[in-house]
Amino acid sequence: MVLAGALLAVVHMAIPSATVSDALYLASTVFFGVALLISATIHKPDRRIWPVVLVVALCSVAGQVAGNNTAPNESMRAVSELLFFATQLALVIGLLVVVKRRGTHEVSSVLGDSVIVAIGVWLTVWISLLQPSLDVTGETSTVTILRGMTTGASAVVVLLLAYLLFADAVRTPAVTLLSAAIGLSLLGDLLYAINTSGHVEIAQHFAYAPYVMCYFVGAAAFMHPSISQLTDHGTIRSSHNLLGRLVVTTSALVVPVIFLSVTNPESTSDRVVRTISIAVLATTVMFRVVQAVRSNAASQAALVRTAKTDALTGLPNRPLVIEYLAEALQSAWKSSRRPTVLFIDVDRFKAINDSLGHATGDDVLMSVASRLRNAVPDRAIVGRIAGDEFVVLDSGTHSVADAMMLADHVLNAFKEPLAVDQGDVFVSASIGVAVASKGQMITPDELLRNADTAMYRAKHAGRNCVALFDESMLERVTQRLAVETALYRALEREELELFHQPIIDITLGDVVGFEALMRWEREDGTMVSPAEFIPIAEETGTIVPIGAWALLEALSHLRGWIDDGVCSKDATMSVNVSPKQLHDPNFFAIVNEALMRSRVRADQLWLEVTESVMITEPEIALASLTKLSEIGVRVAIDDFGTGYSSLSLLQKFPIHRIKIDRSFVSGVADDSSARSLARTILAMSSSLGMDTVAEGVESLRQLQTLSALGCAKAQGFLISHPVPVHAMRATIAALNDISNWPQIRR
Ligand code: C2E
Ligand code: MG
Ligand code: MG
């Protein structure tokens, strides 16, 4: 359409015939009318713009017709000018609606620039066109006044157009096209004004060409789908066309100044108009400069503020907290004050986020922030340093007692539920307390880290409590960190080894299986107990590769013993498996590969899991264990009776063996209640058709009692300590030599 408009405009300019001109003009207005009708039915732009569009279209056409009258008389010219004025006025109203609705973030600066542009245009038009036409044409004052008003209105149109284009909302194609159409109509008006000024004569076929094109571009604007969002609040532009804006604004300043300098005022009234206009222009520029400097300073300040505060809660962030902390430590140096840092971590915040959604999670964090603010004295600083981690800094405390009192106060602030949109939420917090000690230099980072360490202690102590930092915590943390780092390399450095503990059939006294137990001998020769490193391996995820290694290693050992005739060919191997391994999607493949490579039957492998697998994310563990039991691998519940599994879960999981925990076994011979418990466990497993193994059997009496209670199998120091692979032949031989097994049966 834009191309067609340009083409027709060229045709219009090429043929200097009034008839052709009138025909083309008529055709383009009809075309525009049709486009409006189509747009109204298809794109349905905001209804508010229709009156404006109709007034603009009708008045401009009518004005053109009236002005084009072959024998123009004064009243006809006045009517024509009046219609043009109405057109500009309607344009002003329409643009005002659009501009106001689309909105902008920096209204004042855009408005300032637009006012400069409008005054610049007005001044230029006045000096170059309007003022001269007053003398030359000798028109009646009515027409001149009307034309002056039209020019003023046009200047406002230019202003609003500039505003629309400078504003920071994204320019849609409809906005661009519409602005181009209005620009073309203003160009037409300019040519018309030049004609009437009497300076130069511009032939009609040139003067009307912009109008012809204007209707086509206007039609294109209304036919574009984006017209339906003309009055919507636009998306904010990511990059601002600052250069374009600067060029337009400075041109609006420079051009009138050039005109002013090359022309002399024609009359007193001209001088007055020029003076007033230039005064207004100068004032606007002054305001605009002041405003620009101010907004620059404000945005710089805002930048610094956002860099140091947390966007969600408005609290100081980590760098700012550190700054405050440094100040507090410095000023406390010579006084009796001992600044306190509370490190507050919201308990199970991830669960809140996961179950209630991130929006609610944000609400919770904001409520926590205001709770904390209200719970601490005014002099204290509350900061948020990470997701759900808050810090309270009180530089006014004098002792550890003060600090603990503050911490208790903060902990109590969580007693009441937090009100969020979805309802009330109960949250608790773990609080670590660190107090700067007197006369000892400590950096802000160290004090914060100490509070963090204490917070971890509070978490481990069961959450919802306060822990005070002491140096030993740091040692433990350092030690743990060292273990963690060394554990990463343990596998590749071949520092891990499997020991095995035989499992015997109580009735027969035969070794029927083994449990593989991991040992870690560190570089320096120290032995680390699995009770110490397995939890770390589980936490860090290293258990997955280590566990895979253990599976293959244990089954290979069994293969070797069977092949060497150390044990029976049906002996089984029990391997401990942690929940992390069961949650690993490759676990099934790992087990399968280990079975294949060691050529051990699936039913010779026992996987020992603890009750905890049935509690945290039981679905994944269930799926994993079910798949394995389908190929014949069997599952044992380790340390049975120490966890919190429910009987219903026990039934749901594919479990083939229960291992009675050492804590029950140790009392079984002398303590009647331990005996009853063991009896109950044995009765339950037998009715569920499960195998039973007693763990940690250390005395003959324990073994005899267990045998009497009907326990099938046993393992423990009485039978054998866990031994290295090469010692198994001797261990089993020694076991076979023990002649007193039959005693047990009695
Ligand atoms: P667990 O599976 O319950 O293993 C039995 C633990 O009891 C072993 O401790 C064993 O040495 C010890 N024990 C055996 N008989 C007696 C006894 O008569 N008296 C006493 N007091 N203790 C006895 P260990 O080897 O220190 O292993 C501790 C735990 O570490 C194991 O408990 C198991 O949960 C875990 N663990 C060991 N190896 C692995 C492994 O390869 N993978 C995984 N995930 N965990 C392992
Ligand atoms: Mg075990
Ligand atoms: Mg056990």
Side-chain angles (χ1 to χ4, degrees):
M1 275 182 214
V2 173
L3 274 179
L7 210 67
L8 280 195
V10 169
V11 171
H12 189 281
M13 287 190 277
I15 308 171
S17 142
T19 341
V20 173
S21 164
D22 285 348
L24 283 177
Y25 187 78
L26 188 70
S28 50
T29 48
V30 170
F31 182 75
F32 182 61
V34 174
L36 285 187
L37 280 178
I38 295 174
S39 173
T41 43
I42 298 176
H43 300 316
K44 300 192 176 59
D46 193 333
R47 270 174 295 129
R48 269 168 294 196
I49 67 169
W50 285 125
V52 172
V53 173
L54 288 182
V55 170
V56 168
L58 293 179
C59 287
S60 63
V61 172
Q64 219 70 255
V65 173
N68 205 15
N69 204 310
T70 36
N73 55 31
E74 274 313 306
S75 55
M76 254 334 214
R77 293 204 86 148
V79 168
S80 159
E81 286 297 341
L82 195 65
L83 286 167
F84 284 145
F85 180 59
T87 311
Q88 296 303 321
L89 217 55
L91 267 181
V92 167
I93 294 166
L95 280 170
L96 266 178
V97 171
V98 174
V99 160
K100 193 166 165 289
R101 299 271 307 167
R102 290 184 71 78
T104 169
H105 274 288
E106 27 162 359
V107 183
S108 55
S109 77
V110 173
L111 209 63
D113 286 354
S114 309
V115 169
I116 293 170
V117 170
I119 299 172
V121 169
W122 149 257
L123 199 54
T124 312
V125 170
W126 166 260
I127 298 167
S128 60
L129 305 173
L130 276 179
Q131 204 280 328
S133 80
L134 281 178
D135 320 317
V136 180
T137 51
E139 284 164 341
T140 59
S141 50
T142 336
V143 174
T144 315
I145 290 167
L146 275 173
R147 189 164 312 130
M149 282 160 66
T150 311
T151 316
S154 301
V156 178
V157 169
V158 173
L159 176 150
L160 289 169
L161 216 53
Y163 189 106
L164 195 65
L165 297 175
F166 288 158
D168 48 7
V170 167
R171 237 177 276 156
T172 61
V175 169
T176 311
L177 286 168
L178 215 54
S179 306
I182 296 173
L184 281 166
S185 84
L186 289 177
L187 177 68
D189 293 348
L190 184 72
L191 296 179
Y192 176 76
I194 292 173
N195 252 347
T196 46
S197 74
H199 282 323
V200 240
E201 184 77 23
I202 298 172
Q204 188 194 338
H205 61 278
F206 285 119
Y208 277 26
Y211 291 122
V212 171
M213 184 155 174
C214 154
Y215 281 117
F216 273 82
V217 177
F222 276 91
M223 293 296 283
H224 196 277
S226 63
I227 192 76
S228 56
Q229 291 126 31
L230 184 65
T231 55
D232 287 357
H233 187 90
T235 340
I236 299 306
R237 235 185 295 181
S238 48
S239 67
H240 299 248
N241 184 5
L242 281 181
L243 187 67
R245 193 162 141 185
L246 206 65
V247 167
V248 174
T249 319
T250 34
S251 314
L253 273 174
V254 171
V255 173
V257 170
I258 294 173
F259 269 97
L260 276 176
S261 57
V262 298
T263 57
N264 287 322
E266 301 281 329
S267 61
T268 324
S269 58
D270 187 13
R271 194 186 299 277
V272 171
V273 171
R274 286 176 182 222
T275 314
I276 293 173
S277 303
I278 206 78
V280 175
L281 188 61
T283 320
T284 317
V285 169
M286 193 180 73
F287 273 113
R288 179 70 185 94
V289 170
V290 170
Q291 191 264 341
V293 170
R294 271 208 195 137
S295 90
N296 200 22
S299 59
Q300 214 147 25
L303 216 63
V304 171
R305 222 177 15 254
T306 44
K308 289 190 173 180
T309 54
D310 161 45
L312 181 68
T313 59
L315 294 177
N317 62 9
R318 191 187 179 95
L320 192 55
V321 166
I322 297 276
E323 265 177 43
Y324 282 128
L325 202 50
E327 258 169 53
L329 289 174
Q330 202 138 46
S331 65
W333 177 238
K334 285 201 188 82
S335 76
S336 63
R337 282 178 283 118
R338 296 175 62 184
T340 296
V341 173
L342 305 185
F343 201 107
I344 302 147
D345 188 284
V346 179
D347 293 334
R348 301 199 169 86
F349 182 70
K350 191 179 174 309
I352 295 175
N353 242 350
D354 290 350
S355 57
L356 301 176
H358 285 248
T360 310
D362 284 354
D363 282 354
V364 167
L365 289 178
M366 284 192 281
S367 310
V368 168
S370 69
R371 275 284 159 91
L372 289 175
R373 248 311 6 137
N374 294 331
V376 300
D378 283 342
R379 60 163 191 264
I381 307 275
V382 178
R384 178 179 175 226
I385 62 174
D388 59 344
E389 294 173 345
F390 294 85
V391 159
V392 169
L393 161 67
D394 187 356
S395 42
T397 44
H398 289 268
S399 63
V400 171
D402 283 355
M404 290 308 275
M405 218 142 76
L406 177 72
D408 276 337
H409 204 65
V410 169
L411 194 67
N412 277 333
F414 288 91
K415 288 255 154 42
E416 295 291 313
L418 301 173
V420 294
D421 282 349
Q422 297 199 2
D424 285 356
V425 180
F426 274 99
V427 297
S428 61
S430 302
I431 303 179
V433 185
V435 186
S437 38
K438 234 202 185 107
Q440 186 203 333
M441 268 302 222
I442 187 165
T443 67
D445 279 308
E446 279 167 354
L447 194 60
L448 201 60
R449 187 206 53 203
N450 290 353
D452 190 2
T453 308
M455 185 279 288
Y456 266 96
R457 177 51 57 82
K459 280 251 168 248
H460 278 285
R463 302 188 170 94
N464 194 19
C465 60
V466 176
L468 178 68
F469 174 80
D470 69 75
E471 291 296 329
S472 70
M473 284 183 187
L474 216 54
E475 266 163 42
R476 242 166 293 163
V477 169
T478 330
Q479 195 188 340
R480 196 187 147 84
L481 201 70
V483 170
E484 215 176 285
T485 333
L487 192 56
Y488 270 114
R489 317 289 304 278
L491 193 58
E492 58 185 77
R493 288 189 184 166
E494 300 186 355
E495 292 173 359
L496 297 175
E497 191 187 345
L498 288 185
F499 274 38
H500 298 275
Q501 189 174 37
I503 298 173
I504 58 153
D505 183 303
I506 299 183
T507 354
L508 304 173
D510 294 343
V511 172
V512 289
F514 310 90
E515 175 171 7
L517 294 160
M518 214 180 281
R519 295 290 175 264
W520 178 20
E521 187 181 353
R522 295 188 58 179
E523 261 179 327
D524 52 7
T526 51
M527 274 298 224
V528 191
S529 146
E532 194 181 325
F533 72 82
I534 295 286
I536 298 177
E538 279 175 350
E539 215 170 281
T540 54
T542 339
I543 191 68
V544 174
I546 289 180
W549 166 82
L551 258 166
L552 179 61
E553 186 83 351
L555 291 177
S556 311
H557 290 167
L558 181 65
R559 177 83 267 151
W561 292 328
I562 292 173
D563 290 350
D564 296 348
V566 171
C567 64
S568 96
K569 62 178 191 355
D570 294 322
T572 61
M573 178 57 77
S574 302
V575 182
N576 292 287
V577 170
S578 80
K580 263 261 166 68
Q581 291 173 268
L582 292 182
H583 292 167
D584 174 22
N586 293 327
F587 186 63
F588 179 78
I590 288 169
V591 173
N592 240 329
E593 194 190 322
L595 288 169
M596 237 142 54
R597 284 175 60 179
S598 60
R599 292 172 286 110
V600 168
R601 292 199 318 270
D603 66 325
Q604 284 177 281
L605 172 64
W606 283 93
L607 297 179
E608 295 196 1
V609 297
T610 54
E611 288 166 84
S612 63
V613 299
M614 299 191 276
I615 293 159
T616 41
E617 298 192 76
E619 298 82 18
I620 308 175
L622 177 62
S624 180
L625 290 177
T626 309
K627 223 167 131 191
L628 283 162
S629 73
E630 274 164 9
I631 62 162
V633 175
R634 288 176 291 174
V635 180
I637 290 285
D638 208 350
D639 309 339
F640 186 78
T642 59
Y644 300 95
S645 60
S646 71
L647 291 177
S648 69
L649 280 175
L650 213 55
Q651 206 186 15
K652 202 161 123 193
F653 271 69
I655 292 160
H656 311 94
R657 171 186 279 178
I658 278 179
K659 294 189 80 173
I660 308 172
D661 189 63
R662 196 168 64 233
S663 54
F664 303 106
V665 172
S666 63
V668 85
D670 310 305
D671 178 357
S672 64
S673 70
R675 195 162 39 244
S676 327
L677 275 173
R679 186 182 293 122
T680 313
I681 296 173
L682 286 165
M684 183 200 71
S685 55
S686 108
S687 71
L688 287 172
M690 294 179 190
D691 183 35
T692 43
V693 175
E695 289 188 283
V697 179
E698 291 179 352
S699 74
L700 205 54
R701 287 187 51 229
Q702 287 170 355
L703 194 62
Q704 283 167 334
T705 318
L706 286 162
S707 168
L709 290 175
C711 182
K713 297 180 179 78
Q715 70 181 98
F717 292 170
L718 171 74
I719 299 137
S720 167
H721 277 261
V723 295
V725 196
H726 59 83
M728 193 50 86
R729 183 184 288 277
T731 305
I732 294 180
L735 277 174
N736 287 339
D737 284 348
I738 298 177
S739 49
N740 55 3
W741 287 126
Q743 287 181 3
I744 303 161
R745 269 169 265 154
R746 269 193 265 119

